[in-house]
Amino acid sequence: MTASTELGTAPLADPDVPTDLSHLLRSVFRRHAAGVAVITARGARPVGFTATSLTSVAAEPPMISFGAGTGSSSWPVLAEAEHVGVHILGEHQRDLAATFARSGADRFAPPTRWHTGPHGVPVLEGVLAWLVCRVVARVPAGDHRVVLAEAVAGDPTGTGRPLLYHQGDFNGLRD
């Protein structure tokens, strides 16, 4: 490996490459297009946040994972929730993604459309697909937790094209 490809180093001759590793990670992943999801849970009140870290983990049992910041306003509820909602957003839902990404927003107030779904989980309406999942583990990962959850209910029949996150902005697919 060269010095520029070893973990934790950057080419010294390029001033545009960040040397702070947290900044480097964020800079690299801004170039990685990711699908946009909203994760919801219910405690005394419904909570939710926009996530781009959603991953299919296994088919048997049907399991997903996502990252959740422990400093987020949703974390106290998510840390105790037995079930979560996972919603795949369509490109027509940029505003919804922005609402659930914005700190301090009343995420479940109009114009957000939602209903109480299986296991009391808030289910967003008009999404491409949704799952309700039983949380099976919360794995420490720095200032986040990786949540592993098993699908127990859902609906994959929404229509439209997926919403993507790339270079710090919500985007649709191009042909």
Side-chain angles (χ1 to χ4, degrees), residues 19-38:
T19 56
D20 168 49
L21 293 181
S22 294
H23 185 248
L24 175 64
L25 181 73
R26 286 191 296 274
S27 295
V28 167
F29 273 87
R30 284 177 66 87
R31 296 181 176 272
H32 174 69
V36 180
V38 168

Side-chain angles (χ1 to χ4, degrees), residues 109-125:
T112 300
R113 295 185 347 251
W114 65 282
H115 65 273
T116 300
H119 302 281
V121 172
V123 173
L124 301 176
E125 297 179 5

Side-chain angles (χ1 to χ4, degrees), residues 144-173:
H144 279 62
R145 295 294 181 269
V146 175
V147 178
L148 295 168
E150 182 178 349
V152 297
D155 182 356
T157 61
T159 60
R161 295 165 55 101
L163 183 63
L164 300 177
Y165 187 74
H166 181 252
Q167 292 288 56
D169 201 7
F170 297 115
N171 298 281
L173 285 176

Side-chain angles (χ1 to χ4, degrees), residues 1-12:
M1 285 198 318
T2 67
S4 65
T5 59
E6 291 176 19
L7 183 61
T9 64
L12 297 176

Side-chain angles (χ1 to χ4, degrees), residues 67-160:
T70 58
S72 75
S73 61
S74 298
W75 179 249
V77 171
L78 188 59
E80 301 295 325
E82 292 184 26
H83 292 86
V84 295
V86 177
H87 307 83
I88 307 301
L89 300 190
E91 63 185 5
H92 64 286
Q93 295 177 304
R94 286 181 173 98
D95 290 343
L96 184 65
T99 296
F100 276 83
R102 191 171 31 255
S103 181
D106 187 354
R107 297 168 179 158
F108 291 90
T112 300
R113 295 185 347 251
W114 65 282
H115 65 273
T116 300
H119 302 281
V121 172
V123 173
L124 301 176
E125 297 179 5
V127 297
L128 298 186
W130 61 266
L131 293 168
V132 169
C133 300
R134 180 180 59 84
V135 175
V136 297
R138 295 171 184 88
V139 180
D143 61 354
H144 279 62
R145 295 294 181 269
V146 175
V147 178
L148 295 168
E150 182 178 349
V152 297
D155 182 356
T157 61
T159 60

